[in-house]
Amino acid sequence: MMGTTQRAKTLSFRMRIGLALVLAMLMLLGGRLFHVQALDPAGNAQQAVSDRLRSVELPGARGDILDVHGRVMATSVERYHIIADQPQVDSYTVRDPDTGLRVPITVEESAAQIAEILEIDRQEVLEAMTGDGTNRYSMIDRSVTPEIRQKVMELRVPGIFSEPQSERAYPAGPVAGSIIGFIGADGPLEGVEAAQDEALTGESGQRIYEVGADGVRIPTATYEEVPATDGQDVKLTIDQDLQWYAQEAIAQKTNQYNAQWGNATVVDLREGSEGEILAMADSETVDPAQPGQTDELFRRPLALTQPFEPGSGGKSITFAMALEEGVMEPEDHYTVPYRYTWNGQTIQNARSHSEYEMTAAGIYARSYNTGTVLIGNQIDEQTRYDYMRKVGIGDPIDIGLGIEGQSALRPPEEWDARQPLTTQFGQGYEMTVLHTVQMYQLLANDGVKTPLRIVDAYVDPDGTEHPVETESERIFSSHTSEEMLKLMEGVVEYGSARGAAIEGYRVGGKTGTAEAAGAQGGFDGYTVNFVGLAPLDDPQFLVSVTVHRPAGRFGDWDLTDTFRDIMSYTLSSYDVPPSGAESEAYDGFVGEKQDYPW
């Protein structure tokens, strides 16, 4: 009896302890329930909603890049990634059209159907769809067209969805490729795409919604959307058709001479469009859709990246400053030797010739170094240096592509014994094609320097245009500009560029040939250049043609045919009629006789 009573007491004690523990737990749960439901219902409800909320970024559409006539040169196209949500991937049924019965479709069969549409390996698709069964974002295929995406989505395979993407397309291919630039995996890399990225890139929006435990959106729950803002279009000064024509022409000339590279640049001189670059064509150019297939040299515009000594093209600044300073007139007489020595330094002309009695205009037309120095030496070195800086020599040039063309010009106190002479005829300093073009642009434009540019306007999504404003600066007088045009006409009429003549138009220009510096020091090649203007009675366009390191012998290279082709195409494209105006070129020699050996 005692044993039984003792066991009963022990059991009763344990039951009381257990009951007390149960009551304590109930009190704790009740307190928590009271806190959740009575003291902080809103906070907990909000936390639950927050846990269910998902946010998706809505990217703004990237703006287009347009040519001067509004033709699309770069645009964004709609593409889709095909994604598998592995936990949701499963077999499903479809209705058989013949029997009306529902037929099961296995995951393996779904993978085979998707693989056939995407034209990729079936096993790769199956692996992406199943994997370890936990990946909520498994990539099946990237950047498929809307048509392909539609075919995949029509299968209605559970767990398969698409994600919209924006991909860049370049309808003109390699036309102006180095200007347009390209985009890599990390974003814009070169050209307008990179330099104007801020304008092209829109502002992202946001979509917020609630999902259930299965990750599927709850249709009747929270849904908010902040719309994205599309980027601006960037309208260039480039004429797509003219750019293509210039690329073809300079490629042919570069191949003809087996040169390292060539460039042809066309600039608008018409009133209201001064300084606009209509074409900046290289002998080889990058396809923005496949930049890796092009040599790195040609991925950026050569007119900006390749400085060189201008050679005789630099004589134009010497003659212009002599006119401006009043120390020379075009018909002034000079005795021009083949060789000339000054301060112990001897210079000579390209070809041996007798001593000639010439006009300043004739010296310019035949591009004689000795005569140029006879004229330039009438101006002190500091004044000459100041004029060179005014036209942009020695300063970087920026046209809106995010890179600057470089020019090197030392001040007079750092010149060696020859540079007081050589700088007068285009040696002893470096500049790019665009520096040369800028100099001739201001000589043709009444002596007024208007910055070169390649961006014409920014266009809002609603079509509102914001033109790019520029500030001009007078460098030379109208008189100097008018006289320089006549000197340039002599170059084409009887000087070093007779092949540049175009029937019905007054044409002027200047040739230039300079030694090219080698990688190991010294000179081991040449850079040949011709810049021409037309029509001289009212200059409308400027065309520059440059070829670097052509094969062959000095003096065998002629760029005037390429200039003539490009200028003729430009004049025709912009409906500039021939005026038939008479030449205003000055005589090149003193006296009646004008035909002397070179």
Side-chain angles (χ1 to χ4, degrees):
M1 281 298 282
M2 282 296 292
T4 301
T5 302
Q6 184 64 37
R7 284 194 298 272
K9 288 181 178 181
T10 301
L11 183 59
S12 177
F13 176 76
R14 289 177 177 174
M15 290 178 64
R16 286 194 297 270
I17 293 297
L19 182 59
L21 290 174
V22 170
L23 289 173
M25 292 177 65
L26 288 173
M27 290 179 65
L28 286 173
L29 290 173
R32 179 58 181 163
L33 186 61
F34 176 76
H35 179 271
V36 170
Q37 294 188 340
L39 299 183
D40 188 25
N44 284 278
Q46 182 60 46
Q47 182 62 46
V49 172
S50 297
D51 291 341
R52 298 195 300 271
L53 286 180
R54 297 292 183 269
S55 176
V56 176
E57 182 181 12
L58 302 175
R62 187 172 180 82
D64 293 342
I65 299 175
L66 313 173
D67 88 335
V68 71
H69 300 299
R71 292 171 290 200
V72 176
M73 304 188 77
T75 189
S76 295
V77 294
E78 186 180 9
R79 293 292 183 266
Y80 293 88
H81 292 341
I82 304 300
I83 312 295
D85 183 353
Q86 292 178 354
Q88 299 295 316
V89 172
D90 201 352
S91 59
Y92 66 108
T93 62
V94 297
R95 187 176 299 278
D96 188 315
D98 296 327
T99 66
L101 300 176
R102 298 200 69 83
V103 180
I105 303 295
T106 66
V107 172
E108 289 74 13
E109 289 172 327
S110 296
Q113 291 176 319
I114 293 174
E116 183 178 358
I117 294 171
L118 298 178
E119 297 183 350
I120 58 178
D121 183 71
R122 178 175 59 181
Q123 191 58 38
E124 290 181 9
V125 175
L126 181 60
E127 178 62 27
M129 290 173 62
T130 56
D132 61 7
T134 63
N135 192 344
R136 307 304 299 262
Y137 189 91
S138 177
M139 184 71 67
I140 297 177
D141 201 4
R142 298 176 180 273
S143 300
V144 305
T145 64
E147 294 76 18
I148 296 297
R149 176 256 180 195
Q150 182 65 24
K151 290 180 180 179
V152 172
M153 291 299 101
E154 285 176 351
L155 297 176
R156 299 186 181 277
V157 179
I160 303 300
F161 64 96
S162 63
E163 185 177 77
Q165 299 292 316
S166 180
E167 189 173 288
R168 218 57 174 154
Y170 303 93
V175 176
S178 63
I179 298 170
I180 300 300
F182 47 87
I183 296 177
D186 297 327
L189 297 178
E190 295 289 356
V192 175
E193 293 278 30
Q196 304 298 327
D197 184 52
E198 184 175 349
L200 290 166
T201 302
E203 294 183 11
S204 296
Q206 192 177 41
R207 179 181 297 142
I208 302 172
Y209 57 91
E210 286 186 53
V211 298
D214 58 0
V216 177
R217 179 192 159 203
I218 303 173
T220 58
T222 301
Y223 182 86
E224 296 179 13
E225 184 170 310
V226 178
T229 302
D230 293 342
Q232 292 178 303
D233 293 341
V234 176
K235 182 181 177 184
L236 304 182
T237 61
I238 294 293
D239 180 325
Q240 180 175 287
D241 290 346
L242 179 56
Q243 175 75 24
W244 172 83
Y245 190 90
Q247 284 182 198
E248 293 293 307
I250 192 59
Q252 181 178 0
K253 177 58 66 174
T254 304
N255 290 336
Q256 177 186 341
Y257 292 138
N258 195 26
Q260 183 177 342
W261 57 260
N263 171 269
T265 296
V266 184
V267 173
D268 204 330
L269 302 175
R270 296 173 299 169
E271 185 176 357
S273 300
E274 299 94 333
E276 293 184 1
I277 299 173
L278 295 173
M280 192 164 62
D282 296 331
S283 50
E284 182 179 343
T285 190
V286 63
D287 183 345
Q290 299 176 318
Q293 296 184 5
T294 302
D295 187 282
E296 189 174 351
L297 173 66
F298 299 101
R299 296 179 194 173
R300 289 181 166 189
L302 299 174
L304 275 170
T305 64
Q306 303 299 306
F308 55 89
E309 289 191 353
S312 294
K315 290 172 181 172
S316 295
I317 183 63
T318 300
F319 279 77
M321 70 177 76
L323 285 166
E324 191 73 11
E325 290 294 305
V327 300
M328 179 211 82
E329 290 297 331
E331 294 182 297
D332 286 351
H333 297 177
Y334 296 87
T335 300
V336 182
Y338 165 59
R339 284 192 179 90
Y340 176 70
T341 300
W342 182 82
N343 279 357
Q345 299 295 320
T346 299
I347 61 170
Q348 64 186 37
N349 296 325
R351 297 180 178 86
S352 177
H353 62 82
S354 302
E355 191 171 85
Y356 291 140
E357 295 298 316
M358 304 184 71
T359 64
I363 294 170
Y364 184 82
R366 287 207 169 185
S367 201
Y368 285 154
N369 295 338
T370 56
T372 300
V373 169
L374 290 173
I375 293 169
N377 274 350
Q378 298 177 81
I379 305 171
D380 67 86
E381 293 174 11
Q382 185 62 49
T383 300
R384 283 193 275 116
Y385 172 80
D386 291 342
Y387 272 110
M388 294 172 78
R389 292 304 300 269
K390 285 180 181 179
V391 302
I393 302 173
D395 289 332
I397 190 167
D398 183 1
I399 61 171
L401 283 181
I403 56 175
E404 294 181 335
Q406 300 299 318
S407 174
L409 172 66
R410 294 178 178 273
E413 57 268 22
E414 297 181 15
W415 288 353
D416 62 25
R418 289 186 63 78
Q419 280 181 289
L421 301 179
T422 59
T423 52
Q424 297 184 49
F425 48 83
Q427 298 178 14
Y429 62 92
E430 284 188 334
M431 58 192 205
T432 66
V433 166
L434 291 188
H435 285 89
T436 304
V437 167
Q438 181 78 85
M439 179 173 69
Y440 283 92
Q441 176 270 326
L442 71 91
L443 291 175
N445 186 36
D446 198 42
V448 175
K449 178 182 176 182
T450 301
L452 300 178
R453 63 190 183 280
I454 208 159
V455 177
D456 180 56
Y458 298 94
V459 186
D460 293 338
D462 64 3
T464 303
E465 288 197 13
H466 304 276
V468 174
E469 303 292 338
T470 58
E471 293 185 5
S472 299
E473 176 187 8
R474 177 167 291 283
I475 305 298
F476 294 111
S477 65
S478 297
H479 171 74
T480 294
S481 175
E482 292 170 1
E483 295 301 314
M484 286 302 301
L485 293 179
K486 296 175 185 178
L487 294 185
M488 292 184 206
E489 190 166 22
V491 174
V492 175
E493 186 169 308
Y494 61 84
S496 58
R498 298 185 186 186
I502 300 174
E503 186 175 356
Y505 298 90
R506 290 179 58 204
V507 179
K510 186 71 186 76
T511 54
T513 302
E515 291 181 296
Q520 306 302 321
F523 298 96
D524 59 2
Y526 293 91
T527 305
V528 189
N529 174 258
F530 177 73
V531 181
L533 315 167
L536 291 188
D537 34 318
D538 182 18
Q540 301 286 292
F541 300 101
L542 175 155
V543 173
S544 165
V545 181
T546 307
V547 172
H548 185 62
R549 296 186 183 281
R553 296 181 302 172
F554 177 87
D556 288 346
W557 312 297
D558 180 18
L559 308 184
T560 57
D561 55 343
T562 303
F563 159 83
R564 187 177 62 248
D565 289 346
I566 296 174
M567 179 61 85
S568 296
Y569 181 90
T570 305
L571 293 170
S572 175
S573 296
Y574 286 87
D575 299 322
V576 180
S579 65
E582 295 293 325
S583 169
E584 297 183 16
Y586 294 102
D587 286 346
F589 293 88
V590 177
E592 293 295 323
K593 184 179 178 181
Q594 295 295 311
D595 184 17
Y596 287 89
W598 280 75

